[in-house]
């Protein structure tokens, strides 16, 4: 006969061994979570995340006209895409409003805002000279200086004390998306810039990484502690690049230019690892966007981009930006690129989605874990159980799917020992099944015994754990066994996980 027991257990902390997100493309800009996962989001970068700073600059690099923003609630806002940017999604999922552009804020607004500011600027680069051929921009150095002004002069008006500001900044998240213009609007334009005459590709990549590193350290010294730094995407696949080379490449991308990107990305990876170990109290998350974006460019149909690598909007031959007031493609989600440089909202959503709660875009933790100070991985189980059990021996695996563990309870427990295997891990549903395969209830007449856990989050500091036991036992053995099967073992395991998770937050 088959039996099942369902237990609902309220825990005080989310045991985060699961990660996924499947949010819709459309955000409700008026809806902000009452329980914010982070107090603020501060954004540094270029046009990929610019929310309107270039509207206030003398530059050709602007996205404040139709068809830009055709899918954004307020229309063309200065975002270089058809709708939402990566940071728009991240902000909404963190429970924050859209992050406003620094240059669009009045003095009064700057003194009152505490949910974050966007300093990013179209055409901006790590180096101050990058992108200047198109007009003015906020280089990374200028952006960091504005951030310093915010912390020194504006935040004290709202947060009052230095201690309050330090605590606030330590919980806030900094997002950095920059570097493309140091190649597109600098190194790869030898008639306008002399960097390619001064530096070899390796030297230039090292120069960019070194400069970026110093700016990140400056942000840290200003007070930032949580960083999300994106690597550079495959700019050799951009329509503007592919269409500008002569002869046209026989592949979908200009691989020589992608080779320059790989030099830079390799250096950024090593640099972030160094900063993690040298900047006390800091957490650095690395946004890995090159590989997936590259594969989408090489085989667009495989990923549902029936429009291929062509821009969705009609672009100017001079700037590769959208021609004003022209009607764009009908099915925008079928296109990877909105104009000659920038991704569509769909691509922004996929990157943000994978980075916020996924496990394959941002490393070593995702943005949700960054906001909630969660550092638990699937391999933590052997670490958290021994304090609540007599003995734990991992026979196979690393704590993930297929892991086999032998557990011995304290004397007097029923059952005393057993071997179990993790047979199901569904990251999307945050669901896990564990089956006893030897000993335990199987020695008492039970022919099948399985426990399942599902974590239902209620914010950073709480969750509901739904736990169920399913077992099969012959009718003649049921009266002897069924009363012994209780939620105590599951509750013990959950409490152990909560205790370990809370220790990581301290």
């Amino acid at each position: 006969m088959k039996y099942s027991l369902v237990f609902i257990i309220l825990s005080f902390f989310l045991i985060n061994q699961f990660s996924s997100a499947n949010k819709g493309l459309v955000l409700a800009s008026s809806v902000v979570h009452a329980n914010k996962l982070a107090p603020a989001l501060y954004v540094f970068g270029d046009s990929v995340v610019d929310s309107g700073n270039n509207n206030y600059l003398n530059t050709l690099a602007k996205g404040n006209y139709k068809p830009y923003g055709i899918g954004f609630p307020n229309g063309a806002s200065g975002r270089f895409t058809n709708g939402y940017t990566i940071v728009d999604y991240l902000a909404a999922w963190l429970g924050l409003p859209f992050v406003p552009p620094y240059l669009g804020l009045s003095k009064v607004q700057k003194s009152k805002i505490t949910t974050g500011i966007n300093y990013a600027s179209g055409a901006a680069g790590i180096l101050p000279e990058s992108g200047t051929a198109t007009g003015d921009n906020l280089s990374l150095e200028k952006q960091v200086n504005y951030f310093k002004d915010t912390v020194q002069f504006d935040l004290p008006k709202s947060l009052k004390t230095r201690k309050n500001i330090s605590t606030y900044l330590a919980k806030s998240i900094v997002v950095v998306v920059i570097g493309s213009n140091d190649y597109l609007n600098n190194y790869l334009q030898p008639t306008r810039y002399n960097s390619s005459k001064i530096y070899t590709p390796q030297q230039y990549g090292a120069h960019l990484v070194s400069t970026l590193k110093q700016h990140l350290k400056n942000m840290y010294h200003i007070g930032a502690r949580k960083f999300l730094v994106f690597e550079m995407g495959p700019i050799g696949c951009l329509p503007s690049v592919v269409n500008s080379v002569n002869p046209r490449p026989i592949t979908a991308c200009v691989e020589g230019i992608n080779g320059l990107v790989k030099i830079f990305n390799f250096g950024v990876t090593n640099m972030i690892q160094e900063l993690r170990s040298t900047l006390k109290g800091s957490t650095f998350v690395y946004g890995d966007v090159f590989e997936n974006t590259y594969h989408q460019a090489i085989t667009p149909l495989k990923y549902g981009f029936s429009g291929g690598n062509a821009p969705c909007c009609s672009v100017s031959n001079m700037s590769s930006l959208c021609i004003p007031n022209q009607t764009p493609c009908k099915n925008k989600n079928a296109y990877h690129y909105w104009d000659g440089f920038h991704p569509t909202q769909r691509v922004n959503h996929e990157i943000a989605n994978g980075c916020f709660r996924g496990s394959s875009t941002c490393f070593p933790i995702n943005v949700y874990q960054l906001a909630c100070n969660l550092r638990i991985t699937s391999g933590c189980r052997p670490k958290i159980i021994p304090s609540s059990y007599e003995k734990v021996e991992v026979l196979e695996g690393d704590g993930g799917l297929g892991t086999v563990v032998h557990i011995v309870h304290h004397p007097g427990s029923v059952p005393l020992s057993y071997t179990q295997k993790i047979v199901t891990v569904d990251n999307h549903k945050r669901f896990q099944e564990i089956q006893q395969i030897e000993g335990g209830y199987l020695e008492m007449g039970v022919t099948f015994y399985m426990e399942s856990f599902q974590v239902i989050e209620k914010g950073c500091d709480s969750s509901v754990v739904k736990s169920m036991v399913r077992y099969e036992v012959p009718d003649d053995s049921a009266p002897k066994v069924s009363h012994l099967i209780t939620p105590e073992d599951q509750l013990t395991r959950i409490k152990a996980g909560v205790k370990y998770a809370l220790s990581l937050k301290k």
Side-chain angles (χ1 to χ4, degrees):
M1 184 176 293
K2 297 181 180 180
Y3 296 84
S4 66
L5 300 174
V6 179
F7 313 111
I8 307 296
I9 303 169
L10 179 65
S11 69
F12 296 104
F13 191 79
L14 177 62
I15 307 175
N16 200 321
Q17 291 183 281
F18 307 91
S19 55
S20 69
N22 188 20
K23 311 286 185 178
L25 288 179
V26 178
L27 295 173
S29 61
S30 60
V31 177
V32 178
H33 300 169
N35 183 23
K36 295 184 292 187
L37 301 184
L41 194 65
Y42 286 97
V43 183
F44 302 81
D46 53 33
S47 54
V48 173
V49 289
D50 185 357
S51 61
N53 279 309
N54 274 28
N55 296 349
Y56 305 91
L57 297 175
N58 182 20
T59 176
L60 297 176
K62 293 180 183 288
N64 59 349
Y65 58 88
K66 294 181 179 180
Y68 289 106
I70 195 170
F72 192 73
N74 299 323
S77 61
R79 289 165 170 81
F80 290 80
T81 186
N82 57 305
Y84 303 108
T85 66
I86 295 170
V87 293
D88 287 332
Y89 286 112
L90 295 181
W93 298 339
L94 287 168
L96 299 169
F98 293 141
V99 189
Y102 180 80
L103 296 182
L105 298 172
S106 67
K107 288 184 178 181
V108 173
Q109 289 173 319
K110 290 174 184 176
S111 67
K112 292 182 177 180
I113 190 166
T114 58
T115 54
I117 294 176
N118 190 326
Y119 306 97
S121 174
I126 298 170
L127 303 180
E129 64 270 20
S130 295
T132 53
T134 61
D136 298 332
N137 69 61
L138 303 182
S139 67
L140 185 56
E141 181 179 10
K142 291 180 181 178
Q143 295 178 34
V144 175
N145 286 337
Y146 280 138
F147 177 53
K148 185 177 180 180
D149 289 344
T150 297
V151 174
Q152 288 187 344
F153 304 118
D154 297 324
L155 289 179
K157 296 173 183 176
S158 296
L159 302 180
K160 308 303 182 183
T161 69
R162 182 174 298 179
K163 181 179 179 180
N164 289 344
I165 294 173
S166 295
T167 301
Y168 158 87
L169 289 174
K171 294 179 179 179
S172 300
I173 296 176
V174 164
V175 180
V176 181
V177 183
I178 202 162
S180 295
N181 289 300
D182 294 290
Y183 287 96
L184 295 173
N185 290 304
N186 191 329
Y187 196 73
L188 295 174
Q189 293 193 27
T191 59
R192 293 181 171 180
Y193 305 91
N194 62 358
S195 54
S196 61
K197 302 169 186 175
I198 299 174
Y199 301 100
T200 67
Q202 290 286 352
Q203 290 172 337
Y204 190 66
H207 178 46
L208 292 179
V209 171
S210 175
T211 306
L212 175 60
K213 176 182 176 182
Q214 187 56 53
H215 288 310
L216 292 173
K217 290 174 68 175
N218 289 342
M219 294 180 205
Y220 171 86
H221 292 308
I222 292 170
R225 292 295 181 268
K226 296 181 178 182
F227 297 84
L228 168 57
V229 182
F230 281 91
E231 68 178 8
M232 197 186 307
I235 60 175
C237 302
L238 296 175
S240 61
V241 172
V242 174
N243 294 332
S244 66
V245 296
N246 189 17
R248 288 282 297 273
I250 59 174
T251 60
C253 305
V254 183
E255 299 301 349
I257 293 178
N258 283 339
L260 298 176
V261 173
K262 291 179 180 179
I263 293 173
F264 173 80
N265 287 347
F266 181 77
V268 171
T269 303
N270 292 334
M271 178 262 289
I272 287 179
Q273 290 176 347
E274 179 186 342
L275 292 180
R276 284 193 191 117
S277 62
T278 57
L279 298 182
K280 184 179 179 180
S282 68
T283 304
F284 280 84
V285 174
Y286 182 74
D288 182 355
V289 295
F290 183 94
E291 286 300 323
N292 191 53
T293 304
Y294 178 75
H295 290 307
Q296 290 176 346
I298 295 298
T299 55
L301 290 177
K302 178 181 177 180
Y303 295 91
F305 294 105
S306 57
N309 295 325
C312 178
C313 73
S314 300
V315 300
S316 163
N317 292 331
M318 295 293 293
S319 67
S320 287
L321 297 178
C322 294
I323 299 174
N325 301 315
Q326 294 293 306
T327 302
C329 64
K330 185 175 181 180
N331 185 2
K332 300 163 190 64
N333 290 336
Y335 285 74
H336 190 286
Y337 297 102
W338 176 244
D339 58 18
F341 294 105
H342 307 102
T344 57
Q345 174 180 270
R346 174 193 163 181
V347 176
N348 288 333
H349 174 269
E350 290 176 356
I351 293 172
N353 186 46
C355 198
F356 184 76
R357 205 184 292 278
S359 58
S360 60
T361 303
C362 287
F363 302 95
I365 57 177
N366 58 42
V367 173
Y368 182 87
Q369 293 166 322
L370 177 66
C372 296
N373 293 332
L374 298 175
R375 292 190 175 91
I376 301 180
T377 67
S378 60
C380 75
R381 185 176 300 276
K383 299 178 183 178
I384 67 176
I385 292 180
S387 62
S388 302
Y389 293 80
E390 184 74 16
K391 179 183 177 182
V392 175
E393 182 182 2
V394 179
L395 305 179
E396 182 181 338
D398 61 358
L401 181 65
T403 295
V404 178
V405 179
H406 181 66
I407 294 178
V408 179
H409 288 259
H410 295 298
S413 301
V414 178
L416 181 62
S417 66
Y418 50 83
T419 301
Q420 63 181 23
K421 182 176 183 179
I422 300 176
V423 296
T424 303
V425 175
D426 188 327
N427 285 331
H428 178 72
K429 297 180 180 178
R430 293 182 284 287
F431 176 78
Q432 188 179 77
E433 290 181 318
I434 304 172
Q435 181 179 346
Q436 283 190 10
I437 58 176
E438 185 178 329
Y441 294 114
L442 299 181
E443 292 181 344
M444 301 179 186
V446 173
T447 57
F448 172 84
Y449 181 89
M450 179 180 289
E451 300 174 350
S452 64
F453 301 88
Q454 183 172 16
V455 178
I456 305 170
E457 67 192 51
K458 297 295 181 180
C460 283
D461 297 320
S462 66
S463 67
V464 171
V465 179
K466 182 179 180 181
S467 177
M468 182 171 70
V469 171
R470 287 177 290 153
Y471 63 96
E472 297 179 9
V473 60
D475 289 341
D476 57 348
S477 299
K480 302 176 183 179
V481 177
S482 294
H483 72 283
L484 298 174
I485 299 177
T486 71
E488 292 304 317
D489 184 37
Q490 292 174 298
L491 183 58
T492 297
R493 192 174 306 160
I494 291 171
K495 286 182 176 179
V498 170
K499 182 178 179 180
Y500 182 77
L502 288 173
S503 72
L504 291 182
K505 288 198 73 176
K506 294 179 180 178

